[in-house]
Each structure stands twice: as C-alpha cells, then as structure tokens.
Amino acid sequence: MFRKYLEPFVAAVREPSVQPGISLYTVSYYSEGLLVKAALAVPDALPDDERSLPALLYCRGGIKGVGKVRPERISEMASFGYVVLAPHYRGNEGGEGRDEFGGADRHDVFSAYELLSRMPGVSSERISVYGFSRGGIMALLAAIECPGLHSAVVWGGVCDLFLTYEERVDLRRMLRRVVGHPRKQEQAYRWRSPIFRAAEISCPVLIIHGTEDGNVGVEHARRLADALQANGKPHELWLVESASHLFKGEELAAYTRRMFDWLAAART
C-alpha cells in the first residue's frame, strides 16, 4: 500500500519510526536539475483505493544544521491523517546545490508541491503548506507561485527579511554571506520577502505567533496580517500571549489540534 506514495520519487529509504502508526522515509527528487532530499511521513492506516488523503507540505526553518526537519514533529502532523512532505532544501542532508535562504531554493518547495499533486493516494485539492520560522518565507512563496494550494499556515514565521536583518543581529553575518547587505542587495531581500507580494497569495492563510518570540518578532505576524487585510485576502491571526518561538508541551499540542481543525474547515 505504501508503494503508491513513493512512486513519484527518484529514491526512497525507510527510516525508523518515532510514532506508532506513522511510517517515515527519506526521499529524493529533482528540483531545477538538482537532486534534493526530503522527509516523508505517511499514516499506516491508509484509506482504500477509492479515497485519498490530504497532504501538508512542511517548510522547515533555519539553515543547514539549524532548524532541521524533526521526525517527531512531522510524525505528529501525519497522525492527523495527512501525508506530510518536508523538503530539506538544496545543500542540506546530502542534497545537491546550496541553501539560499529563500532564493532559488524556493523551487525545492514548488517541485515538492508538484510531486504531491501527482502522488497517488493524495487528494490534489487538499494540499496545504505549513511554514515555521524561516519556512514562513517558503510557505508564503508557495502560496503565491503554486496555484491550487488549499491553504497556508505560517507559525512563528518570517515574512519580511529586512525586518529579520534589523532584529537578529546574530544572523547578520550569515545573511550578508548568503543574501548580501539589505542596502546593497535590496532586491535580493525584497525577492525573499513575501509580504511585498501579499496581493498574489491565492489561498486562506492562518498566522500563529507567540507574543514573546525572541527569534522571529511578533511584528512579522502583524505586518503579514495587515498586508493580507489590505489586499482583501482571507486570513486569521492567532497571537499567543507569553509564548516564545518554540511552543512546548500542551500548548504545542493544543495549537496543533486547532491548526488541523482550521485546515479542515478552510475554504479556498
């Protein structure tokens, strides 16, 4: 039964399960001619051949060894009855190319969406995208560039890279190396900041953000909500009082449940 979910990939390697009822794989696929890798989580309780599962395209945060895809997190999400595909982005986990922090590596997400939309056993009309931290950039760009997405979730997500440069002094060296300086390479920062393209977002957006997030300031969430509101785009903003960047324990579980309830109810 699992074979049909693996058909679109160049290669798939079974990984140890971290949650009962969920199977994990490392899969390989091509993006702009580069062989990149992703994590795939699939519920063991598969529907019969007459039904399809919804899917979640999971956009990780960080860069390289920071913010890696966590098998526990995508397995938890798959337990809600979703096929979860999480690109590692080019240059990570043995994939070819270079992670560009929202540059050409955005195509790794777009290509993953195309794979999901053709994957047997996945409902092409019920594919949503989720972005955490830096993954907010990737998820929102997918919501712009991938017609047919059901909905998008941005959790503690970046939407304006100019703002990230201002608030994260500790990341400036990395950003200058990977993207450039925001004054000298203004277009590169704008290209990576989906807030400037809010009018092009084609699906409902849910924004979840802790008010005490020290990694991605809550101003990102407010600016995104304002941009969506100004352009008449359906969205919800959930600001979680006193929550930091990494929700924990029951707070994480509770908002994850609420998120999946929202995904089930969202209408494109």
Side-chain angles (χ1 to χ4, degrees):
M1 290 291 288
F2 289 105
R3 187 174 300 276
K4 65 181 180 181
Y5 291 94
L6 304 177
E7 286 176 5
F9 300 103
V10 175
V13 177
R14 186 78 174 259
E15 302 290 354
S17 175
V18 297
Q19 180 165 326
I22 304 297
S23 291
L24 287 170
Y25 299 86
T26 294
V27 295
S28 302
Y29 65 99
Y30 283 105
S31 172
E32 293 193 311
L34 297 172
L35 190 63
V36 297
K37 296 190 177 185
L40 176 69
V42 182
D44 291 346
L46 298 173
D48 58 43
D49 291 339
E50 301 303 317
R51 297 171 52 213
S52 298
L53 291 177
L56 190 65
L57 178 54
Y58 179 104
C59 299
R60 57 161 284 192
I63 186 170
K64 296 188 179 296
V66 177
K68 288 184 176 184
V69 177
R70 294 178 55 244
E72 297 83 2
R73 183 61 169 154
I74 64 170
S75 295
E76 176 190 22
M77 291 179 163
S79 71
F80 285 86
Y82 279 67
V83 172
V84 181
L85 180 61
H88 295 303
Y89 311 141
R90 59 189 62 183
N92 296 309
E93 302 298 323
E96 297 175 347
R98 174 176 175 265
D99 191 332
E100 297 183 6
F101 211 80
D105 50 354
R106 64 184 65 194
H107 290 280
D108 305 345
V109 176
F110 304 163
S111 296
Y113 170 70
E114 292 299 324
L115 287 170
L116 277 174
S117 66
R118 301 197 310 268
M119 188 181 292
V122 167
S123 172
S124 61
E125 298 179 353
R126 298 167 66 201
I127 301 173
S128 298
V129 64
Y130 167 98
F132 176 72
S133 196
R134 166 267 181 99
I137 291 175
M138 313 300 272
L140 290 168
L141 290 172
I144 292 167
E145 299 289 350
C146 299
L149 271 172
H150 179 266
S151 50
V153 177
V154 179
W155 189 318
V158 175
C159 68
D160 183 344
L161 202 58
F162 292 101
L163 180 56
T164 296
Y165 190 89
E166 290 178 14
E167 65 186 7
R168 289 295 301 274
V169 175
D170 58 319
L171 295 182
R172 287 180 182 175
R173 178 179 293 182
M174 180 277 291
L175 288 171
R176 287 195 297 267
R177 184 183 73 252
V178 176
V179 184
H181 193 282
R183 288 196 299 272
K184 296 178 180 178
Q185 284 79 34
E186 179 181 353
Q187 187 57 38
Y189 277 75
R190 178 174 285 271
W191 193 53
R192 289 167 169 81
S193 300
I195 192 171
F196 298 111
R197 298 178 64 188
E200 300 175 64
I201 292 174
S202 59
C203 63
V205 179
L206 171 62
I207 308 163
I208 306 172
H209 215 112
T211 60
E212 301 302 317
D213 191 332
N215 292 48
V216 180
V218 69
E219 180 64 17
H220 283 269
R222 294 191 174 112
R223 289 186 183 186
L224 177 57
D226 288 347
L228 293 169
Q229 180 68 31
N231 286 281
K233 299 297 181 177
H235 69 283
E236 290 190 27
L237 173 62
W238 299 353
L239 296 183
V240 185
E241 291 297 326
S242 301
S244 61
H245 193 54
L246 297 175
F247 289 29
K248 296 180 180 180
E250 180 51 36
E251 186 173 59
L252 176 63
Y255 276 92
T256 299
R257 289 193 296 269
R258 285 188 61 188
M259 179 190 83
F260 277 100
D261 288 342
W262 182 88
L263 287 172
R267 295 290 183 269
T268 55

